[in-house]
Amino acid sequence: MKKQAPTSLRDALAFVASYVEAPLPPVRLALSAAFGHVLAEDIAAPVSLPRFDNAAMDGFAIRSEDIPPVGPASLKIAQTITAGRTAVHELQPGEAARIMTGAPLPPGADRVVVQEAAEIVGDAVFLNPQAGAKPHIRRVGEDVSRGALVLEAGTRIGPGQLALLTALGLRSVLVAPQPKVALLSTGDELLQSPGSLEAGQIYDTNRPMLSRMLQDAGAEVTDLGIAADDPETILKRLVDAAGNHDLLISSGGASVGFADHLTRIVSRRGYLEFWKLAMRPGKPIGFGDIDDCPMLLLPGNPLAAAAGFALMGRAIIARLEGRPAERPAWRLPAASPLSKRPGETRIFLGRLRSDPGRPTMVDPLPYEGSASLRTLALAEVMILLHPDEVEIGEGDLVEILSI
């Protein structure tokens, strides 16, 4: 007996998780080329950070026993230590070393007195440190201990992660390759912007939007352009791309109109696993394959396409990268009531509201239809209501998705 195709978002996500059986094989990349990729290995620190004791402030490195409990002290300035200097002499009794932030601490020193509490007179410095002041020293391993797990497999390498890996001296890392995604828009009415529109034509807004969302999700995007409502043209572009891509995404041409060929095209060179989900906007979402390459069919209306990718597309990309497909739990109180029909997933657009003295809330925007570009441009987040969430009161927690 044929298994029933999923109709709910939850079942569709579970199907996608089982369909993409294994992530793409990992590759080793030079650290300089790994930005934006997802780690395919745990990273243990090969060295400690800091690598050596160093000054946390500009000032004077001293021995604490040379400072009396009360009153100022006069010490001889024996050396000046700048960041990057390697020749550092041991500090003797009665000596101070003028030191810059990040410079190595001289042996014997256990404290840095900030320069604001010092006065230089000739080759001596008069120090008047505040009682209980910090030592202003960064000790070896204070940030990272050698051998410690610092980044786990599945972590995306962003600016902060790149800085840490660079500081550890790593030359290369094992990462998941960025999934290669081919993106196609369909429709006789679509025209590349800018251009001269004829009567009945509109600019294609979905490809620029979806391309950026894909890149943000970690994908490498191939733009297949716009295909007219001709089955053979659409099929050829998709078949040509299927052999060297990990995912095909189309927008438009998947509803029940007479020119909607995509669902039939997929069935000619593959299998349409499901089509139409109980969600709004985004009901005409489909998933299948062409020549064994997974394919996600998104609606043509911009909000429906954005919602479909945020919920389904990101989950597929995550599976290909070997990351959990589950969305991070991000919930905020609603600033105003919401309602919907039971049994369906509903997406609203919203803006974040931070009123003085109150926690951050999400303010739903009026629903102007799934083709409203103005509403999409005003939105900061998507609000996701699950099938069992029918009436949402002011202050009730709702799930939030980034756009």
Side-chain angles (χ1 to χ4, degrees):
M1 178 183 290
K2 182 181 175 182
K3 245 180 128 176
Q4 185 175 358
T7 57
S8 69
L9 175 64
R10 183 187 63 181
D11 291 344
L13 289 171
F15 180 89
V16 165
S18 63
Y19 186 94
V20 183
E21 296 177 351
L24 300 173
V27 294
R28 183 162 292 279
L29 293 180
L31 188 58
S32 59
F35 184 83
H37 287 73
V38 170
L39 283 171
E41 62 178 346
D42 292 338
I43 301 296
V47 296
S48 294
L49 295 179
R51 295 169 180 254
F52 51 87
D53 293 344
N54 65 87
M57 300 283 286
D58 291 346
F60 292 85
I62 64 166
R63 299 165 1 118
S64 293
E65 55 263 40
D66 289 335
I67 298 291
V70 179
S74 175
L75 301 175
K76 177 185 176 182
I77 302 176
Q79 56 184 315
T80 297
I81 309 173
T82 57
R85 182 171 172 181
T86 56
V88 179
H89 307 298
E90 183 174 0
L91 207 61
Q92 300 301 317
E95 291 183 344
R98 191 170 189 183
I99 194 166
M100 308 306 169
T101 302
L105 200 70
D110 62 356
R111 183 175 180 182
V112 172
V113 178
V114 296
Q115 61 184 10
E116 290 81 3
E119 181 183 357
I120 299 175
V121 179
D123 62 353
V125 61
F126 289 84
L127 303 174
N128 191 18
Q130 293 181 346
K134 295 179 180 179
H136 301 300
I137 294 174
R138 303 187 187 115
R139 293 293 184 185
V140 172
E142 184 178 289
D143 187 15
V144 175
S145 298
R146 182 178 179 180
L149 176 65
V150 290
L151 292 174
E152 294 183 347
T155 302
R156 188 175 301 283
I157 301 175
Q161 292 78 18
L162 184 62
L164 175 59
L165 294 170
T166 301
L168 292 172
L170 297 184
R171 296 183 179 182
S172 66
V173 285
L174 195 67
V175 298
Q178 291 184 314
K180 295 180 179 179
V181 181
L183 179 62
L184 177 70
S185 287
T186 67
D188 290 337
E189 76 280 14
L190 299 180
L191 188 72
Q192 176 79 24
S193 176
S196 180
L197 293 175
E198 303 289 341
Q201 289 186 318
I202 59 173
Y203 291 126
D204 178 17
T205 59
N206 282 359
R207 274 185 311 122
M209 174 185 69
L210 292 171
S211 179
R212 292 298 179 183
M213 294 179 77
L214 276 161
Q215 291 173 44
D216 184 65
E220 179 184 324
V221 183
T222 300
D223 187 353
L224 299 184
I226 302 169
D229 285 321
D230 173 65
E232 299 307 319
T233 300
I234 296 172
L235 181 61
K236 184 177 187 311
R237 291 204 196 176
L238 293 173
V239 169
D240 287 348
N244 56 3
H245 287 83
D246 305 304
L247 176 65
L248 306 172
I249 294 183
S250 66
S251 70
S255 63
V256 293
F258 71 92
D260 297 330
H261 309 292
L262 271 173
T263 53
R264 295 189 293 274
I265 289 170
V266 172
S267 299
R268 286 173 58 183
R269 292 293 293 252
Y271 192 79
L272 187 65
E273 301 287 353
F274 62 82
W275 175 48
K276 291 187 178 181
L277 298 179
M279 61 182 287
R280 180 184 175 202
K283 181 178 180 180
I285 290 178
F287 181 78
D289 70 88
I290 285 184
D291 290 0
D292 295 326
C293 181
M295 180 171 180
L296 177 64
L297 290 75
L298 296 175
N301 282 331
L303 175 53
F309 178 78
L311 293 166
M312 294 293 302
R314 286 175 181 162
I316 299 171
I317 299 297
R319 291 290 296 177
L320 290 170
E321 289 185 313
R323 294 183 290 115
E326 293 82 11
R327 297 182 302 276
W330 183 26
R331 300 179 71 85
L332 290 176
S336 58
L338 289 168
S339 63
K340 68 169 186 63
R341 293 180 297 186
E344 70 172 7
T345 299
R346 182 69 190 274
I347 297 96
F348 294 91
L349 295 178
R351 292 181 64 85
L352 302 179
R353 178 196 290 183
S354 298
D355 296 330
R358 299 188 65 183
T360 300
M361 307 182 79
V362 58
D363 199 3
L365 293 170
Y367 182 66
E368 302 291 347
S370 60
S372 176
L373 292 167
R374 180 175 179 274
T375 307
L376 187 58
L378 290 173
E380 294 175 320
V381 293
M382 296 181 186
I383 303 169
L384 177 63
L385 298 189
H386 296 278
D388 58 342
E389 295 176 311
V390 179
E391 297 289 339
I392 300 296
E394 181 180 345
D396 290 347
L397 294 177
V398 291
E399 185 174 344
I400 303 300
L401 298 173
S402 64
I403 296 177

